[in-house]
Amino acid sequence: MTFSEESYVDDVLVPVRTGWSPHRNYFRVYRLPAHPRQAEVDAALADLPARWGTPELRLHTVACERLHACHATATAVLGDPAARARHREFVEREHHALVEVVRHRLHGAPALTRDDVAAVVRVAGGRWSTPDVVAALHTVGAAVREPVPLPRTPRPKRWQTLREHLADLPHDSLWEYLSRTAELRGADTTPAEVETRRQRLRVSRDRAADAERAVLALVRLWAAAPGGLSAALAHDLLAELAAATVCGYQAVRDLTSPQRCAATLSAAPDAVAYAVWCAREEAAWTEAYFAAVDAHRLPAALDLLESRPLPDSWARVRDGLRVRLDRLFAGLAQAHEAEAANPEDAAARYLAIGRELTDPAVDEGLLRCPAAAPAAVSATVDGAAVVVDWQPSPSAAGNIGYRVSRGTTLLAEQATAPLVDLEAPVGVPLIYTVTALRDGVPGGAASAEPVAVLSEVTDLRLVTEPGVVFGRWTLPPGALRAVVRRTGSGVPADETGFTDRDVEPGTAYTYRVLVEYATLRSPGVDVRVVCLGEPDAVTDLRAVAAGDVVDLTWTPPHGDEVEIRLLTAPEAAPGGVVRLDQAALAGPVVATSRCGRVRVPAAGLAGGRTLVPVTVSGPVATIGTPATVDISSVEVTGLRAVRLGPQVQLSWHWPAWAREVLVVWRHGGPLAGPDDPAAHRWRVTRTAYLTRGARLNAAEAGSHWFGVCVLDDGQLGPLATVESPCPVQLRYRLHGRARTFAVEVECDADLPDVVVLGKEARRPLDPDDGVVLATVPGGQRAGRAEFTVPAELRGPVHLRAFALDDSMWVCHPDPRDLVVR
């Protein structure tokens, strides 16, 4: 074994000098392996005492003298194989004890940092050395590793608003919402895609749609800034991981998916999880300081630093922050002086200061320096839409945006040219106005010349029968009449349609329907139809269940429309050609198509499974071959488990076919399947679920696994599973008399910080609802603090303790024991 004076001093001489006995581990003192050969023992016993007199080691005189004093005993023990074996057993017991210490300190993590290793050595008082700790780490499959530096992601603006709105959506995080919404693309989502999704929600008026529109507004705000959406997603991930550290390292690692880590932090999942785990014990005041700096509340950040003693590194930060604030306030004064002579320069100064400092003077200054109006605005009609375009504002300071409105109606708060108005009123003069915005502050405005929209007919439909074509439509508001032109000639028409009998079966015709207004005529709509004869039957209808829908495919007959009917009266659906009213007796229509493919909501089938295709041509129809829907692979989706104290609330999306499901659950291990012998079972009907929900008792410590599968005619579908861990419990009690009390807190894991609140007349309901009377610092399994209820709090005073960690489950005593009269 190679001898190093530096490591020998750290591992042997310094612990010996500070009280560690060399008799506890002669292998460590003489630098021997666990199973040395006799020649190695003899060489070490001869070589090491000579080294104790070298200049490098002689500086540690006390330690070397103690080693010389015990050398004779060490020679007797190491020289005798039996004594050496007994000594090895003692050393191995020490090693096993250290392994348990290391395993507890790891808490599931793959490594310890060098500082953590040094802390173990330091706290042990020389009992173990650094190599001993490293060897123990290797025994449990861990190592010494430093965490990768993670970016300090500032909390995005209005982040709490986002969390409140996500609570109304079936998504737990911003990443999940952006990744699972069809029109959006995760971290690569653009403002244009956000606008497309917003337009689809325009007609929805429920709580979930309102919440999603608010989320989209925030995503559009972040996506508009360079790197803004990526920073928000990174903050989203790190905040979620930091909250999971209370459950151990594995809980943090389980939340780090490769795709999410790569898109938000450009780092591997293991590196991200380990870095978050190592940073879990950062001081609360440091978090408050960074939050204030991230929000540009620099005076508040300076107050935090000035209100406490600081080490030299933080003292330098405090002094630098003072200088920075002096510079910013001086800049505000200079910007105010420049407003009269050069508003653009003053606005640029205000904006530069606003990027560093949140202060009302910045907003007031920007209001006094508005952006100039756009140079020119134009509005062009394109069918039923209006395209609004404009030249940029000559103002250049700040982020110049544009607000577009039609009359008094706001169309877009942050628009890019050109803007398309798809909801323009028909037949009335329209004036579009574009207002320049400087960082959201309105400035000058310019308007386009009035325009008018000339819409085409709506609800246009052509129906063919042998020897005749019928046309029907609805005139738009403000229209005078419709004009119909067929290939080669005109067709008489009235306000609602036409009848053309000058046609031949099997011939294709193109009809153009134009709309006449007071002085103008619309370009018209072209529709091509074929006057068909007897319809062909569909014989290859295929019906495949896919979740809550059914995919229907068939070979489309030439030119005819196919109706898919739910077969409720088989005796009324004979094969061959029948009148259309006879075909209607087979059952209701669930879908129509000409292309041979259609998707039908399963709910629209009302539990029926047999479908029949009907080929329609005017007043006649041909009934095809029926098909039956196979639902053997239908499964529940969206299974979630929400912890409600000692109970778990299960929720899932019911397949349209399902009327009953089987719920299975167990504690202590994953489910092996619906027939797991260690699991409990519960049959739940759809009616019972909608009436009472599905709530189960799961108060045992550790994880519980739940599964749900469809139960249909005694057959079980695929099992969907979810895991729900039981939160850590925190208990406390108060004892004392008069107004002097002591609070004792204990927990199943390391305590978070706990505060005791007092409130007159009513019980405190959250950590901010009352006066803080005592604080029990976290870090241990139990804690205690004494306090006195101030005289200014008049009785009755209600006391209550709260954990400053939302993941803890606080068990409160009887409320009658928490009242001070």
Side-chain angles (χ1 to χ4, degrees):
M1 179 179 295
T2 304
F3 185 86
S4 169
E5 287 82 359
E6 182 178 358
S7 64
Y8 192 81
V9 169
D10 294 336
D11 300 339
V12 177
L13 296 185
V14 171
V16 168
R17 180 178 57 82
T18 56
W20 178 71
S21 173
H23 299 290
R24 298 183 64 88
N25 192 340
Y26 291 131
F27 297 98
R28 172 176 163 187
V29 171
Y30 289 91
R31 316 305 273 176
L32 289 171
H35 297 276
R37 299 188 303 272
Q38 188 61 44
E40 292 177 315
V41 173
D42 296 338
L45 292 173
D47 179 61
L48 263 296
R51 292 183 182 274
W52 296 337
T54 61
E56 292 82 5
L57 304 184
R58 196 169 53 211
L59 297 174
H60 303 271
T61 306
V62 174
C64 291
E65 289 175 354
R66 288 177 180 170
L67 292 178
H68 280 293
C70 70
H71 179 64
T73 304
T75 300
V77 171
L78 294 177
D80 181 7
R84 186 167 67 234
R86 290 191 297 274
H87 184 65
R88 182 186 303 110
E89 292 176 357
F90 172 81
V91 171
E92 288 177 351
R93 287 195 299 272
E94 288 288 285
H95 172 73
H96 292 320
L98 177 57
V99 167
E100 293 304 316
V101 171
V102 167
R103 182 179 285 111
H104 174 75
R105 197 170 185 97
L106 285 169
H107 204 348
L112 292 179
T113 65
R114 288 190 295 270
D115 291 342
D116 289 336
V117 172
V120 173
V121 174
R122 182 174 59 255
V123 172
R127 181 178 180 181
W128 298 299
S129 64
T130 298
D132 295 334
V133 179
V134 174
L137 286 171
H138 290 164
T139 301
V140 298
V144 179
R145 193 176 82 195
E146 297 303 310
V148 299
L150 291 176
R152 188 176 59 83
T153 57
R155 181 172 178 166
K157 294 181 179 179
R158 303 178 63 188
W159 182 256
Q160 185 57 37
T161 302
L162 173 78
R163 301 301 307 167
E164 294 172 359
H165 288 307
L166 284 177
D168 293 325
L169 300 176
H171 302 290
D172 295 328
S173 65
L174 177 62
W175 170 264
E176 181 179 324
Y177 169 74
L178 295 178
S179 301
R180 297 186 179 180
T181 303
E183 292 86 349
L184 309 178
R185 296 188 298 116
D188 298 324
T189 299
T190 64
E193 293 166 342
V194 173
E195 182 63 20
T196 299
R197 178 64 181 175
R198 191 189 69 82
Q199 290 295 334
R200 288 197 57 182
L201 295 172
R202 181 169 47 84
V203 297
S204 301
R205 291 293 181 270
D206 54 20
R207 182 182 182 90
D210 293 339
E212 186 170 0
R213 280 191 289 270
V215 171
L216 287 171
L218 294 174
V219 173
R220 181 173 57 185
L221 173 66
W222 296 329
L229 185 56
S230 297
L233 289 171
H235 178 82
D236 185 34
L237 173 59
L238 293 178
E240 186 176 356
L241 296 180
T245 57
V246 69
C247 299
Y249 174 83
Q250 190 58 42
V252 180
R253 180 60 184 87
D254 291 343
L255 293 176
T256 54
S257 66
Q259 182 182 6
R260 190 175 181 185
C261 292
T264 58
L265 298 173
S266 300
D270 288 330
V272 173
Y274 184 67
V276 172
W277 176 255
C278 292
R280 67 192 183 281
E281 297 178 354
E282 188 170 288
W285 70 265
T286 307
E287 289 295 332
Y289 166 79
F290 285 129
V293 171
D294 294 340
H296 298 164
R297 295 183 289 104
L298 301 186
L302 182 60
D303 291 342
L304 279 171
L305 297 182
E306 290 182 336
S307 63
R308 55 182 39 83
L310 300 172
D312 293 341
S313 59
W314 278 101
R316 290 191 294 271
V317 173
R318 178 198 59 203
D319 296 340
L321 186 56
R322 287 173 182 164
V323 174
R324 184 181 177 189
L325 277 174
D326 293 340
R327 173 179 58 81
L328 292 173
F329 286 134
L332 283 175
Q334 295 171 1
H336 190 273
E337 294 176 357
E339 289 179 7
N342 192 340
E344 279 296 302
D345 178 64
R349 291 173 181 264
Y350 282 123
L351 292 170
I353 295 172
R355 286 189 287 269
E356 300 184 60
L357 177 67
T358 298
D359 193 280
V362 174
D363 299 330
E364 295 169 0
L366 289 175
L367 289 175
R368 295 191 297 268
C369 304
V377 179
S378 63
T380 306
V381 177
D382 183 7
V386 177
V387 180
V388 184
D389 203 355
W390 60 90
Q391 296 181 6
S393 167
S395 296
N399 183 18
I400 303 299
Y402 302 94
R403 175 189 297 164
V404 180
S405 58
R406 181 198 332 113
T408 59
T409 302
L410 177 64
L411 299 181
E413 183 65 30
Q414 288 289 341
T416 57
L419 179 138
V420 180
D421 183 9
L422 300 176
E423 302 176 358
V426 178
V428 296
L430 304 174
I431 299 178
Y432 290 85
T433 302
V434 180
T435 303
L437 307 175
R438 192 200 308 274
D439 280 33
V441 179
S447 300
E449 294 294 328
V451 295
V453 176
L454 305 176
S455 298
E456 304 290 352
V457 296
T458 57
D459 301 326
L460 176 61
R461 57 198 180 278
L462 298 186
V463 180
T464 67
E465 295 182 5
V468 63
V469 177
F470 300 98
R472 294 293 180 267
W473 57 73
T474 301
L475 283 176
L480 298 180
R481 64 189 182 95
V483 177
V484 180
R485 294 175 181 172
R486 192 191 64 202
T487 306
S489 63
V491 178
D494 55 27
E495 292 185 356
T496 60
F498 70 88
T499 301
D500 186 7
R501 299 184 182 277
D502 189 16
V503 292
E504 296 292 335
T507 305
Y509 297 93
T510 299
Y511 291 85
R512 173 170 293 183
V513 183
L514 307 94
V515 179
E516 284 192 353
Y517 292 87
T519 58
L520 298 173
R521 177 179 290 179
S522 70
V525 179
D526 290 341
V527 181
R528 186 176 183 273
V529 297
V530 178
C531 190
L532 299 177
E534 185 176 293
D536 297 328
V538 174
T539 60
D540 58 350
L541 177 64
R542 296 176 297 278
V544 179
D548 290 340
V549 298
V550 177
D551 288 326
L552 302 172
T553 57
W554 65 90
T555 302
H558 179 68
D560 286 329
E561 184 176 64
V562 177
E563 295 179 347
I564 305 299
R565 292 180 176 270
L566 181 63
L567 189 60
T568 57
E571 68 281 355
V577 179
V578 298
R579 295 195 314 273
L580 188 59
D581 57 348
Q582 289 180 315
L585 298 177
V589 177
V590 296
T592 59
S593 175
R594 291 181 181 273
C595 64
R597 178 181 293 274
V598 71
R599 176 169 286 184
V600 179
L605 301 184
R609 298 188 186 180
T610 303
L611 303 171
V612 61
V614 179
T615 308
V616 178
S617 180
V620 297
T622 301
I623 299 177
T625 305
T628 301
V629 182
D630 180 12
I631 66 168
S632 61
S633 61
V634 172
E635 63 179 345
V636 301
T637 59
L639 178 60
R640 296 181 60 190
V642 178
R643 172 65 63 173
L644 301 174
Q647 295 184 329
V648 172
Q649 179 77 38
L650 296 180
S651 61
W652 61 85
H653 300 304
W654 282 78
W657 314 95
R659 295 293 175 267
E660 186 176 18
V661 300
L662 178 66
V663 179
V664 296
W665 73 96
R666 64 173 294 182
H667 168 255
L671 291 165
D675 54 354
D676 190 333
H680 304 277
R681 292 165 184 79
W682 179 27
R683 295 173 64 152
V684 180
T685 64
R686 185 190 289 264
T687 302
Y689 176 85
L690 296 177
T691 304
R692 300 184 297 273
R695 183 177 294 189
L696 300 169
N697 289 325
E700 297 90 343
S703 294
H704 296 74
W705 280 264
F706 302 88
V708 180
C709 62
V710 173
L711 184 62
D712 181 68
D713 293 335
Q715 299 296 320
L716 296 177
L719 184 67
T721 61
V722 66
E723 179 185 1
S724 175
C726 185
V728 178
Q729 297 186 15
L730 184 149
R731 299 166 295 278
Y732 71 95
R733 59 182 180 272
L734 298 174
H735 54 83
R737 60 183 180 178
R739 285 183 170 247
T740 300
F741 293 89
V743 59
E744 295 180 354
V745 186
E746 62 180 10
C747 185
D748 298 333
D750 288 348
L751 284 172
D753 289 347
V754 178
V755 295
V756 179
L757 303 184
K759 187 176 181 180
E760 296 179 354
R762 295 182 180 180
R763 287 188 302 163
L765 300 179
D766 55 62
D768 298 323
D769 186 23
V771 178
V772 177
L773 302 179
T775 299
V776 181
Q780 302 294 329
R781 292 296 181 96
R784 173 187 172 92
E786 297 181 353
F787 65 93
T788 301
V789 179
E792 53 266 24
L793 289 180
R794 300 179 180 179
V797 178
H798 293 261
L799 306 178
R800 212 174 187 194
F802 293 91
L804 299 184
D805 184 341
D806 294 339
S807 65
M808 287 288 181
W809 177 9
V810 181
C811 300
H812 298 283
D814 190 323
R816 293 173 296 182
D817 298 334
L818 302 177
V819 180
V820 180
R821 300 294 179 180

